[in-house]
Amino acid sequence: MVGMNEINRSYQPINSYGVIGDCHSTVLISPDGSVDWGCLPDFDSPAIFCRLLDAEHGGYFQIAPTGGNIPGSQRYLRGSNVLQTRFASTFGEIVLTDFMPVETLEAWPYKAMNNNTWRAHEDGSCHCLVRIVECTHGEMPVTVSLKVSPDYAATPSEVALIADNKGAMISSAQQHVALAMIGADLLASCTMDVAQAADEWHQTITVQATLREGERLLFALGMGRSAQAARRLVEVELHQRNFDVELAHTLHCWRQWLAGCTYQGPYSEWVHRSALALKMMTYAPTGAIVAAPTTSLPEELGGVRNWDYRFTWLRDATFTLYALNVLGFTAEARAFTHWLRNLSYTDGEDLQIMYGIRGERELAEQELHHLSGYCGSSPVRIGNAAAQQKQMDVFGEVLDCIHLYRRQGGFERYGEKLEGPLWQMMQTLVEHVCAHWQEPDSGIWEVRGGLRHYVYSKVMCWVALDRGIRAAQQLNLDADLPRWIMIRDQIRADILCHGYDTSIGAFTQSYGSAALDASTLLLPLVGFIPPDDPRMRSTVDRIMESLTDKHGFVYRYLSDDGLSGGEGTFTLCTFWLVDNLAMQGRLDEARSLFERLLTYAGRLGLFSEEIEAQSNEALGNYPQAFTHIALINSAQNLRKAEIRLSEHHTDPVIAAIRLQKR
Ligand SMILES: OC[C@H]1O[C@H](O[C@H]2O[C@H](CO)[C@@H](O)[C@H](O)[C@H]2O)[C@H](O)[C@@H](O)[C@@H]1O
């Protein structure tokens, strides 16, 4: 029997989902108890749950009160990525606890490329999704519906129920899923059935039970490398594990990791949630970081701007490390520098702007026409053609990331040195920038409408030279310093001459264009220009006048980008505006914009990429690293600005007191 939960259910708001993960992958869980997105065992594995991208055909795993009419409310257990969903009625209450067990959250310094989950655990036995449903009060009938749709619902599957209500196996050509059910033998009533709609490739397993106070069922879902491995998991291995101990250990790991956070200041709960979300997006075996764990959540409802973010952009990853560094987390930066050292490239020319989580170069973009997309937003894409683009900013971002890591004593802390392969890499990248900074590129936003001389790309070429020069000067390293310094100054002069439009009073998107671009808000943040330089002040004013919606939230740009349709405001950019206002001393405006923006997070404090200007809905992939990075940085910048302002204001008062005393 198909549970009522399946009826009348379409798409849930993007930012209503809870997200859990184990630093190999994540799953998204709706407030009605349904895992609607899940790629297991790794971020880039084909999705086995994709109801998020096709409400009709996509697989899901839902645990909820039978009837589906009791709303659930979600929260994270303090300081962790363990999620609880509570369903309460006058007759009783059930609590669903969802987690992915972790053995350790230590960032692993890179060992060998292709060292993925499968190699670490041949049968995938460590990595699983655990769902515990428990009645905490009264009694409640519960329905569990599991439809696994392997390979993004592109291939058929077969279900085999395992005797004695032990669980089930779901197998397709490539993917083998094991579901263990633990605790059914202690319940008075518990049934497990399987049904298949005539037009469906995938069967739905339904478990029904009435839970009374203190009773519970536990489901552990793991991936087997083969059908036999999956069978072993269901029949033996998953049943032998003590998931209560694993839950306690997982909670301990998250809390212990968060205890390393040195941030003290306002909005600390938001900062902590963002840090936990970012950590969840790291891929432990290689130190890589994904931009987001989803694909194709649309930038416009019903539109075509749907991209796969389950990869490592040098830009997004280095920004993530800034933010983690700001909070005192350095092990992740170390793991990432190891990943960087091991990337395959021969010179700056063939350094890609993004790689797969194991350093894969080949990320061919494909459209999955059999999926209708979130709220009909198609095409659904996997892979990302931006991997082949030329984006000159990435050199500056990589060098700035290493610079920051060095400045914070990262190398000394781990008994490592910048000298050697990493300095060779830096030199190669600086030399590449010296030779190519005058060329047009696709820019930070990866637009698909042709190459231009983007101002932000040029600024990041300046950053690449600047950070290379500082490292060479401070560590006495081998470099052609006079030439590097000359080119750095030449780039700066070029930008000030061609990138600033005196008639509008703003740094522009690209040379020769009057279009505004929010990426110019980064100029003072990377040290290219002081925040209170008149040119920067007027750029900020122009952006506030012409590049914002009615809430004051910032669009990336409004110029043509070669794609059809439009998009929402880009939350990362709104946080950059907060930073600029704070750095200019416009603290009230900065704080009010920051706090307004926080009200647009989901109930769990998570953000996607964009916000729709009219409906206020969350848009784009979720949770997005960019947004959480920027939230952390803005909280920090607000704090710094507050300190600066208070020092400034108290000085005369203190001086006056001193004078009176004298
Ligand atoms: O706008 C078109 C491009 O959109 C995506 O790029 C965006 O996401 C990246 C990952 O977070 C980010 O680095 C970039 O700045 C964003 O513009 C998409 O990945 C591209 O394929 C697409 O061309």
Side-chain angles (χ1 to χ4, degrees), residues 206-528:
T206 306
V207 176
Q208 293 204 298
T210 295
L211 297 183
R212 297 189 182 82
E213 191 168 323
E215 290 180 339
R216 71 175 202 172
L217 273 175
L218 185 150
F219 297 88
L221 185 138
M223 303 294 292
R225 199 179 169 85
S226 62
Q228 292 93 308
R231 181 171 286 278
R232 246 191 347 264
L233 278 172
V234 193
E235 291 184 342
V236 188
E237 287 160 17
L238 289 171
H239 286 273
Q240 285 173 342
R241 287 169 65 172
N242 184 335
F243 288 109
D244 291 308
V245 171
E246 292 194 30
L247 171 59
H249 180 71
T250 300
L251 268 172
H252 170 75
C253 287
W254 286 114
R255 288 175 179 161
Q256 200 185 32
W257 180 80
L258 193 63
C261 178
T262 54
Y263 178 83
Q264 283 175 335
Y267 314 111
S268 59
E269 283 203 8
W270 291 93
V271 168
H272 289 168
R273 178 51 49 207
S274 292
L276 285 163
L278 292 180
K279 178 67 178 171
M280 224 174 2
M281 289 186 241
T282 60
Y283 182 62
T286 64
I289 300 168
V290 295
T294 56
T295 178
S296 299
L297 288 175
E299 293 171 11
E300 177 185 44
L301 283 189
V304 300
R305 295 164 182 251
N306 317 315
W307 317 106
D308 193 350
Y309 278 19
R310 298 169 302 151
F311 307 110
T312 302
W313 273 257
L314 296 184
R315 174 176 41 247
D316 298 46
T318 53
F319 284 178
T320 303
L321 297 176
Y322 290 148
L324 290 178
N325 250 304
V326 160
L327 303 182
F329 297 109
T330 52
E332 291 69 22
R334 179 183 179 224
F336 189 70
T337 56
H338 282 248
W339 184 82
L340 275 178
R341 278 177 232 207
N342 286 282
L343 283 181
S344 91
Y345 71 98
T346 47
D347 55 27
E349 195 62 55
D350 69 350
L351 178 78
Q352 293 193 169
I353 62 106
M354 62 192 282
Y355 289 84
I357 51 178
R358 290 165 225 88
E360 298 90 337
R361 296 180 69 89
E362 185 53 50
L363 305 176
E365 190 168 290
Q366 294 172 50
E367 296 184 356
L368 301 183
H369 296 289
H370 63 281
L371 294 177
S372 55
Y374 179 84
C375 290
S377 310
S378 63
V380 167
R381 295 186 177 88
I382 56 169
N384 199 316
Q388 299 310 321
Q389 285 186 357
K390 173 162 139 189
Q391 298 173 15
M392 291 301 291
D393 61 309
V394 297
F395 305 104
E397 282 136 11
V398 170
L399 271 102
D400 200 23
C401 172
I402 300 172
H403 168 76
L404 184 76
Y405 180 65
R406 178 173 69 79
R407 249 188 22 197
Q408 298 206 328
F411 292 107
E412 289 83 28
R413 188 169 302 126
Y414 297 105
E416 293 172 350
K417 281 184 166 188
L418 173 61
E419 293 88 327
L422 206 56
W423 175 240
Q424 271 163 26
M425 177 190 197
M426 286 177 74
Q427 278 180 304
T428 306
L429 301 188
V430 170
E431 288 299 345
H432 180 78
V433 170
C434 289
H436 298 277
W437 70 270
Q438 282 156 308
E439 295 169 13
D441 70 338
S442 298
I444 177 176
W445 306 127
E446 321 195 309
V447 296
R448 297 191 172 201
L451 307 183
R452 286 185 228 169
H453 289 279
Y454 287 101
V455 170
Y456 174 75
S457 299
K458 301 276 189 247
V459 170
M460 292 313 282
C461 287
W462 175 88
V463 168
L465 266 298
D466 183 69
R467 305 319 188 238
I469 291 165
R470 289 191 207 205
Q473 284 173 336
Q474 288 162 15
L475 300 176
N476 249 326
L477 299 171
D478 178 38
D480 187 353
L481 269 176
R483 186 168 53 91
W484 284 11
I485 292 171
M486 186 195 73
I487 297 176
R488 178 185 63 182
D489 297 347
Q490 203 181 335
I491 299 176
R492 186 156 200 280
D494 195 70
I495 296 165
L496 294 179
C497 176
H498 302 291
Y500 185 80
D501 186 324
T502 44
S503 63
I504 55 166
F507 285 102
T508 58
Q509 181 174 56
S510 59
Y511 288 6
S513 139
L516 293 171
D517 191 306
S519 62
T520 55
L521 291 170
L522 276 173
L523 272 51
L525 289 158
V526 297
F528 178 78

